[in-house]
Amino acid sequence: MGIVFGLTIMKVKTPKFRVRSATFETINVTSPSFHMKMYAEIGVKNPNFGPYKFHNTTVNFYYGETLFGSANIPKSKAGLKTTKKFNVTVDLIAPTSLASNSQFANEVSSGLLPLRSQSNLSGKVELMLIMKKKKSIQMNCTMNVNIKSQQLQDLNCN
Ligand SMILES: *[C@@H]1O[C@H](CO)[C@@H](O)[C@H](O)[C@H]1NC(C)=O
Ligand SMILES: *[C@@H]1O[C@H](CO)[C@@H](O)[C@H](O)[C@H]1NC(C)=O
Ligand SMILES: *[C@@H]1O[C@H](CO)[C@@H](O)[C@H](O)[C@H]1NC(C)=O
Ligand SMILES: *[C@@H]1O[C@H](CO)[C@@H](O)[C@H](O)[C@H]1NC(C)=O
Ligand SMILES: *[C@@H]1O[C@H](CO)[C@@H](O)[C@H](O)[C@H]1NC(C)=O
């Protein structure tokens, strides 16, 4: 009994790092300008029986391969079996290099802008106060910004 329980709680599971939700404020989406403020909640979900301590990191938001904005996540920890949540504000701005991109113009006028978020998080899971296991995880989410309703839709993280 004791051994089985011990093995179960000693097994290190991979935490999850993802965008949980977001709302937006429109600053200027008159083509070729695109500037929306994103108010996002980002979470680090720790499934382990001990805390996951992680370093600070940056979450980048891309349209295709083009960086639109980023958010800083401070170093912190997610307690055992909990999700540490962060509220961040991100200015999503199209660089001028997209001014002549017709697909981008079409997507803005259709009202749905596809974005993806990526980040790397490194840290350690602590078990039984003594055992420390390094765990590095990635964020990889896709989503659509509904420009008119200023809501996030089709959020998918893997
Ligand atoms: C919004 O962007 C357009 C196109 O770049 C520009 O002409 C317009 O002045 C901007 N509007 C505001 C309120 O900044
Ligand atoms: C972490 O914070 C340090 C000091 O503030 C900063 O120099 C570094 O760029 C940050 N790292 C990331 C990945 O954001
Ligand atoms: C993030 O913001 C939402 C909405 O304002 C609020 O309900 C939530 O408690 C905030 N979360 C954190 C971790 O500050
Ligand atoms: C995450 O790390 C990979 C390589 O391990 C790198 O290609 C990628 O640019 C990093 N992403 C961010 C947002 O730093
Ligand atoms: C991110 O997820 C997409 C599928 O949703 C996949 O094609 C892509 O390879 C993933 N990228 C990374 C860096 O894991």
Side-chain angles (χ1 to χ4, degrees), residues 9-16 44-55 76-84 121-135 137:
I9 67 169
M10 295 294 279
K11 199 170 159 199
V12 178
K13 295 179 188 155
T14 302
K16 285 201 164 67
V44 178
K45 184 178 184 179
N46 176 21
N48 292 290
F49 280 101
Y52 175 56
K53 290 185 178 167
F54 47 87
H55 298 294
S76 186
K77 74 171 182 189
L80 74 164
K81 300 257 176 201
T82 61
T83 302
K84 177 70 183 176
L121 190 65
S122 62
K124 285 182 187 137
V125 174
E126 279 181 22
L127 292 175
M128 325 244 2
L129 299 171
I130 44 157
M131 212 180 97
K132 289 183 185 175
K133 263 265 171 72
K134 279 191 182 173
K135 267 287 173 192
I137 53 178

Side-chain angles (χ1 to χ4, degrees), residues 36-129:
M36 287 183 88
K37 268 191 186 298
M38 179 186 210
Y39 303 97
E41 190 182 67
I42 288 172
V44 178
K45 184 178 184 179
N46 176 21
N48 292 290
F49 280 101
Y52 175 56
K53 290 185 178 167
F54 47 87
H55 298 294
N56 65 312
T57 190
T58 304
V59 179
N60 286 337
F61 292 85
Y62 300 91
Y63 166 78
E65 297 303 314
T66 307
L67 184 66
F68 267 41
S70 53
N72 293 321
I73 304 293
K75 76 170 187 171
S76 186
K77 74 171 182 189
L80 74 164
K81 300 257 176 201
T82 61
T83 302
K84 177 70 183 176
K85 297 165 192 164
F86 299 92
N87 279 338
V88 297
T89 302
V90 186
D91 279 294
L92 297 171
I93 300 174
T96 50
S97 60
L98 279 180
S100 58
N101 183 314
S102 60
Q103 192 190 339
F104 173 65
N106 285 342
E107 274 162 342
V108 172
S109 65
S110 81
L112 272 192
L113 190 75
L115 289 181
R116 59 192 183 86
S117 65
Q118 276 199 332
S119 183
N120 299 318
L121 190 65
S122 62
K124 285 182 187 137
V125 174
E126 279 181 22
L127 292 175
M128 325 244 2
L129 299 171

Side-chain angles (χ1 to χ4, degrees), residues 14-25:
T14 302
K16 285 201 164 67
F17 184 31
R18 53 174 300 173
V19 171
R20 292 167 53 86
S21 62
T23 56
F24 301 86
E25 187 186 326

